[in-house]
Amino acid sequence: MELGFTGGVALIVLLGVGGQVLGRVTRVPSIIVLLLLGLLVGPVLGWLHPEAIFGDILFPLVTMAVSLLLFEESLKLDLGRLGGGARRPVIGLVTLGAVLTGVGASVAAWAILDLTPARAAVIGAIVIVSGPTVVGPLLAIIRPKQPLESVLAFEGIFIDPIGATVALGAVHVALHGDPPRLGLTSLAGIVSGLLGAALYVVVVRSGWVPAPVQVALAVAVALAAFAGAEAVRDEAGLFATTAMGVALANQRFVPVGALHEFGSHVGLLIVGSLFIVLAALVDLDALLHYLPVTLVVVALLALVVRPVAAWLSTARSVLTGRERAMVAWMAPRGVVAASTASVFTIRFDQAGTPFPQLVPVVFGIVLTTAVLYGLTGPLVARALGVRGSDAVALDEEGAPLVAG
């Protein structure tokens, strides 16, 4: 059975929303549920063929969906939300830790997958990210004490836009080998994003826009910033929405609390639908073909790269040795890693230089790290004695309601 346009879109939306609901009910990271559902209806059963359903507009739709996803993630990048002893270790993890993770993962990909340094750097940059959609459900199960809870939650929130931006740069260099071109592209995106943020602030501050309409306005302006950046420089659109989100998160002229509803409503629909489409596009044979080497890469990430990055990044912080060990054993990958890998693969294909390892390896890392840390996280936390007595109270973004 192969579905047409109407049936295909309906199935995508139904599974995208239903998968997230199922994930919350079962306390399984929703990304695992979504990827498994997408693989099932796509390459396994053959019901869903996104290329046939959407045709030539598939890539623009996926890219715009990812741009909105990065906008949503960037809205959370407000260091003012950090409190107590969590600030220092989180800043260390998303700066020094991100560099060490990117370099270590790049070396592992270069050595194990036999890639060029530029392509290995793309995979290394992508797996810098983690994300609240996968960390949040794990924290709810692990129930760590404070400030460890805040450190793990806010690292997941802040690292996504940072890692995605680094990955954008790595892809640009791999495709064009021209750092000045990267500078112009990122500049075009940043300027477009800042103009979009300024426009939103001016319009909202004028009092013309009631609160219920502010989310829709933000989405419309973000898409306009994306389109404007792409019109100036190809590949600048994702820089634009990321810059706009960061700018809005850190300005104090207008409140942006209403925009956080974006992730709970519009974002839920976009993320779910996007992942069903992306998983349906995966070549199952390629996923299985690269699985053995992917497992080797995951072993290096989990046993070498993450422990070194976490230990050095949290030095001289308020975290105890046991809490630092728990941070070292907590690095699942999520939504942004898989979605950016898919978009970047399409860009490599369009440039006439296919990157066949990118999607199967990154999707394999996403699935295996989510399963690895999901199964072992509670056991390691119990062994280290870092579990709290109460369930973790998280907001809609996966952050603790009370930061320690």
Side-chain angles (χ1 to χ4, degrees), residues 5-24:
F5 181 83
T6 302
V9 171
L11 181 63
I12 289 168
V13 173
L14 177 62
L15 293 179
V17 175
Q20 292 177 86
V21 172
L22 181 60
R24 294 187 181 188

Side-chain angles (χ1 to χ4, degrees), residues 28-368:
V28 173
S30 59
I31 186 172
I32 296 180
V33 180
L34 291 170
L35 291 179
L36 292 177
L37 287 174
L39 289 171
L40 179 64
V41 299
V44 175
L45 297 177
W47 294 353
L48 189 66
H49 295 280
E51 304 100 320
I53 292 172
F54 296 105
D56 293 339
I57 67 170
L58 176 61
F59 174 66
L61 284 177
V62 169
T63 307
M64 291 179 73
V66 173
S67 75
L68 289 178
L69 174 61
L70 292 181
F71 174 61
E72 179 203 350
E73 294 296 316
S74 301
L75 282 171
K76 304 168 186 174
L77 191 53
D78 178 5
L79 288 176
R81 300 171 65 192
L82 281 175
R87 178 183 291 270
R88 183 185 182 96
V90 169
I91 292 176
L93 287 166
V94 301
T95 52
L96 175 61
V99 172
L100 294 174
T101 300
V103 172
S106 299
V107 172
W110 171 76
I112 303 301
L113 300 172
D114 193 26
L115 299 173
T116 65
R119 293 196 172 203
V122 172
I123 292 180
I126 289 174
V127 300
I128 288 174
V129 305
S130 178
T133 55
V134 65
V135 173
L138 293 182
L139 290 181
I141 298 171
I142 294 171
R143 304 199 312 272
K145 299 176 182 177
Q146 287 288 5
L148 176 60
E149 172 192 341
S150 293
V151 171
L152 292 172
F154 279 106
E155 180 200 8
I157 289 171
F158 290 171
I159 199 65
D160 271 359
I162 293 172
T165 303
V166 174
L168 282 169
V171 169
H172 199 94
V173 171
L175 283 173
H176 306 291
D178 186 358
R181 178 188 172 101
L182 170 61
L184 292 174
T185 300
S186 59
L187 179 62
I190 291 170
V191 170
S192 181
L194 293 179
L195 289 174
L199 175 62
Y200 176 85
V201 168
V202 169
V203 173
V204 172
R205 192 172 176 82
S206 71
W208 299 338
V209 184
V213 185
Q214 290 174 10
V215 173
L217 175 65
V219 172
V221 175
L223 288 176
F226 169 84
E230 287 286 321
V232 175
R233 302 283 297 190
D234 289 340
E235 304 167 7
L238 298 181
F239 284 105
T241 53
T242 302
M244 179 176 167
V246 172
L248 288 178
N250 291 278
Q251 56 79 38
R252 297 296 181 261
F253 298 105
V254 298
V256 294
L259 299 189
H260 294 297
E261 293 295 318
F262 172 73
S264 303
H265 303 292
V266 181
L268 185 142
L269 180 63
I270 291 174
V271 168
S273 301
L274 176 64
F275 266 79
I276 295 300
V277 170
L278 296 181
L281 289 169
V282 171
D283 184 337
L284 194 58
D285 291 336
L287 188 66
L288 296 175
H289 174 75
Y290 288 107
L291 184 59
V293 291
T294 300
L295 293 177
V296 176
V297 173
V298 169
L300 290 173
L301 291 175
L303 300 177
V304 180
V305 175
R306 175 61 176 187
V308 171
W311 201 256
L312 293 177
S313 301
T314 58
R316 297 188 299 277
S317 70
V318 298
L319 297 181
T320 66
R322 289 174 177 266
E323 289 170 337
R324 292 170 69 194
M326 188 66 221
V327 174
W329 191 253
M330 191 69 174
R333 273 70 181 185
V335 169
V336 173
S339 61
T340 51
S342 298
V343 169
F344 296 158
T345 293
I346 298 173
R347 289 202 181 276
F348 277 100
D349 289 342
Q350 289 182 329
T353 56
F355 192 168
Q357 300 94 335
L358 184 54
V359 163
V361 169
V362 172
F363 271 62
I365 291 173
V366 168
L367 283 169
T368 53

